[in-house]
Amino acid sequence: MKWRKIANTLMFKLVLAVSLGILGLAAVLHFMNQSISKEVFAKIFSESQQKIFNQIDRQFCQFYEDIWRISSTISSSEPVKNYLMEENPASVKERGNIYYMQREMEETRLSDYTQLNVMLVSTQGKSYVYNWTDKLAVSASDILFSPVTQKAGQEPGKLVCEYQESGYSDVTKSEPVIVMACAVYEKETVLGYLYITMKEQEFREMYNYFTSSTSDIVVLNGEGEVISSNEPDYLKTDSKRQRYVKRLAAEMESEGIYRKQEKDGNSVDTILFQKLRSSNYHLIGIINPQAAFAESYNMARIVFFTLFSASVILFLVIVFVRQQTKPLAHLADKMGRVRSGNLGEFVRIEGTEEIRELTETYNQMIRLLDESVQKLIDFEKEKRIAEIHALQMQINPHYVYNTLATIKILIWQGNAELSTRVIDAFVQLLRNTISNTQECITVAQEIENLKNYVLINQVRYGDMIKTEYFVAHNCSGSLLPKMILQPFVENAFFHAFPEGKGGNIQVFVRKKEDRLIFEVADNGIGMTPEQLKSVQTKDKRSKKEHLTGIGINNVDDRLKLLYGEEYGVRIESKEEEGTKITITMPAE
């Protein structure tokens, strides 16, 4: 019995499945490792590298011929020479030279090489950049005294090529570049210099896709200087790798050999050397066959068969494990639903011994938690309802005394009709606040209570404040919690209109879709932003209470408790313009 429990545990089954998978994968890897032939690999790799060199040679030859034609066309152009000789930059002749010079440039193959940056600098310091969106980032004098300019001046008719840490224009000033320069002559007089600049990174793209982690390519100019490489260390001035490759290039060119073995540390490199056609540039390839073999040994067929075998084994393991852990996934899903507030998600007891024990504990925990939460919710609801009822039952004694005193004065004055109306209104007000224990009343009843309250206030304080009611015909029978509107009308009476000032209070009731909307608006003194913020953060009552202790925030809390957080009270007010209260609740 104990053994059966152990065999049914998730850990035992996972360990068994993973162990079988590892054993199977190791057997496949061992079989494939024996099927690789080092001799075949070395032969194929060498042939492929030679083809790569030939491809680079053809591509670079085409590029160099195009650059040579472009530079020859531009340097021999009459408009270019006229531009370099013209001394007045603001003259009409100058603008004409620029126009015809740019047209001749556009007729070359510059449009095929959008990555090229072409510029002219005269010996007088005047400069022109072909790309109108670019501009020089260094002074013309700095360019004229640069090493590449000096070489171009010393070798007439030659296109000099140099590697530089940064270019001359805004586009190339922060990146390594390859600068090709030639002097522009007129009757053996140097008029200026033509510069064709290309980011070294973009130049590298002509051969970069042929390189790998086990083979590097280095391009050297006619003077044996490194101008480009996929490996940055070869470009660092006087670095160990740069000295290494420059030595190899010089030795292999002098010996007339195109392949040799060179020991570099613990490995032996195969060095390929080739002079690029149509130029005196050189291409050197540094290949590490041992690293290449090790890299290829872990790829190709081994990778394919290993991945295939591992995929099959992994698929079987996943199917098996998923079947066994399905009850656990079901339990996790139920727990996720509990996190969203649903405490009625019980789980069927099934699966391994660990999952069955976990499921039983979870079901018991949910049951106890649901009971506790429900008791707490019921308690809080009853507590809140009791608080609201207690507030509703409160009638300010001062309000009662003052109302009765007002009635007494009316009787003493002999105004029996008005006395009767005030008494009736006061009786109705008391009945709805004290005697009526119902939580909700109709809109019509609430409006009637407001009218009674307003009548009493107008008798006591005068009728300078007018109250109007606008109730949509489909709203009269709708239900709302009683005494919802009275605090806002009371607040407007005693805060919106200072003593001696009259105005209007308007009450609007309407429906919008499934919501019942009340608006209490006045044209009184309004509130400053600071006063409005104070009212919204706490109950700001007058020093003397008028009818009940139910405040504005209490109404908002009451609505949110009854209907949810999306309902409640919104207050809008502008100083000297008035205040508007909007109350939203479900239409019932």
Side-chain angles (χ1 to χ4, degrees), residues 16-38:
L16 179 63
V18 172
S19 299
L20 292 175
I22 292 175
L23 290 175
L25 185 60
V28 173
L29 287 173
H30 178 74
F31 173 77
M32 293 305 306
N33 287 341
Q34 300 300 318
S35 65
I36 299 296
S37 170
K38 293 183 180 180

Side-chain angles (χ1 to χ4, degrees), residues 308-369:
F308 176 77
S309 303
S311 298
V312 173
I313 295 172
L314 185 61
F315 174 75
L316 295 176
V317 169
I318 290 175
V319 171
F320 181 75
V321 172
R322 185 176 180 181
Q323 185 66 29
Q324 299 302 318
T325 59
K326 188 176 180 180
L328 187 60
H330 189 212
L331 176 61
D333 178 62
K334 294 291 186 179
M335 293 178 72
R337 297 182 186 180
V338 169
R339 189 167 54 240
S340 63
N342 189 351
L343 297 179
E345 297 290 337
F346 294 96
V347 184
R348 185 175 58 190
I349 299 175
E350 58 181 347
T352 61
E353 292 297 323
E354 294 91 344
I355 297 177
R356 293 173 68 89
E357 182 67 27
L358 184 61
T359 304
E360 289 179 357
T361 304
Y362 164 80
N363 287 342
Q364 184 177 5
M365 178 188 68
I366 289 298
R367 189 179 299 108
L368 295 175
L369 184 61

Side-chain angles (χ1 to χ4, degrees), residues 42-76:
K43 181 180 178 181
I44 294 175
F45 189 74
S46 298
E47 291 176 355
S48 66
Q49 292 301 309
Q50 191 62 54
K51 292 179 180 179
I52 287 173
F53 261 52
N54 294 335
Q55 177 67 23
I56 296 174
D57 187 16
R58 288 193 294 271
Q59 188 170 348
F60 187 83
C61 176
Q62 180 64 52
F63 172 76
Y64 186 80
E65 289 178 355
D66 290 342
I67 298 299
W68 176 252
R69 290 193 188 97
I70 292 170
S71 62
S72 298
T73 301
I74 295 175
S75 61
S76 61

Side-chain angles (χ1 to χ4, degrees), residues 443 447 450-451 466-473 475-476 485 504-511 517-519 521:
V443 170
I447 297 298
L450 286 179
K451 290 179 179 179
K466 305 296 183 183
T467 305
E468 300 175 287
Y469 308 91
F470 303 91
V471 182
H473 68 279
C475 297
S476 297
L485 300 180
N504 294 319
I505 301 174
Q506 295 178 321
V507 180
F508 301 88
V509 185
R510 59 188 174 90
K511 282 185 180 179
I517 299 175
F518 301 88
E519 292 179 356

Side-chain angles (χ1 to χ4, degrees), residues 406-420:
T406 300
I407 295 171
K408 178 181 177 182
I409 291 172
L410 291 174
I411 295 173
W412 180 74
Q413 292 175 344
N415 195 338
E417 181 181 354
L418 185 56
S419 301
T420 304

Side-chain angles (χ1 to χ4, degrees), residues 132-186:
W132 65 271
T133 61
D134 199 5
K135 61 181 180 179
L136 289 181
V138 297
S139 65
S141 60
D142 290 340
I143 299 175
L144 291 173
F145 286 101
S146 64
V148 68
T149 305
Q150 301 301 316
K151 286 186 178 181
Q154 294 169 4
E155 302 182 44
K158 185 176 180 181
L159 185 64
V160 177
C161 182
E162 292 285 334
Y163 168 82
Q164 291 186 181
E165 292 293 337
S166 61
Y168 301 131
S169 68
D170 284 344
V171 174
T172 60
K173 66 180 180 181
S174 59
E175 296 188 48
V177 295
I178 294 173
V179 180
M180 292 162 279
C182 66
V184 181
Y185 285 85
E186 176 63 23

Side-chain angles (χ1 to χ4, degrees), residues 284-440:
I284 286 186
I286 300 98
I287 306 168
N288 189 329
Q290 296 177 356
F293 175 78
E295 186 176 289
S296 299
Y297 184 75
N298 292 316
M299 295 174 64
R301 284 191 301 167
I302 288 184
V303 172
F304 173 75
F305 283 106
T306 300
L307 291 178
F308 176 77
S309 303
S311 298
V312 173
I313 295 172
L314 185 61
F315 174 75
L316 295 176
V317 169
I318 290 175
V319 171
F320 181 75
V321 172
R322 185 176 180 181
Q323 185 66 29
Q324 299 302 318
T325 59
K326 188 176 180 180
L328 187 60
H330 189 212
L331 176 61
D333 178 62
K334 294 291 186 179
M335 293 178 72
R337 297 182 186 180
V338 169
R339 189 167 54 240
S340 63
N342 189 351
L343 297 179
E345 297 290 337
F346 294 96
V347 184
R348 185 175 58 190
I349 299 175
E350 58 181 347
T352 61
E353 292 297 323
E354 294 91 344
I355 297 177
R356 293 173 68 89
E357 182 67 27
L358 184 61
T359 304
E360 289 179 357
T361 304
Y362 164 80
N363 287 342
Q364 184 177 5
M365 178 188 68
I366 289 298
R367 189 179 299 108
L368 295 175
L369 184 61
D370 184 43
E371 292 175 358
S372 300
V373 170
Q374 194 59 47
K375 288 179 180 178
L376 181 61
I377 291 174
D378 293 343
F379 174 77
E380 289 297 328
K381 283 184 177 180
E382 291 174 1
K383 179 182 176 182
R384 186 62 180 163
I385 291 172
E387 291 174 353
I388 294 172
H389 285 168
L391 286 173
Q392 290 174 344
M393 293 296 290
Q394 294 176 4
I395 295 295
N396 192 335
H398 294 290
Y399 185 84
V400 176
Y401 300 154
N402 291 335
T403 302
L404 292 176
T406 300
I407 295 171
K408 178 181 177 182
I409 291 172
L410 291 174
I411 295 173
W412 180 74
Q413 292 175 344
N415 195 338
E417 181 181 354
L418 185 56
S419 301
T420 304
R421 288 178 59 198
V422 173
I423 292 172
D424 290 340
F426 187 56
V427 170
Q428 289 294 328
L429 208 54
L430 293 177
R431 180 178 294 125
N432 282 301
T433 55
I434 298 177
S435 301
N436 188 356
T437 59
Q438 294 180 349
E439 177 71 16
C440 295

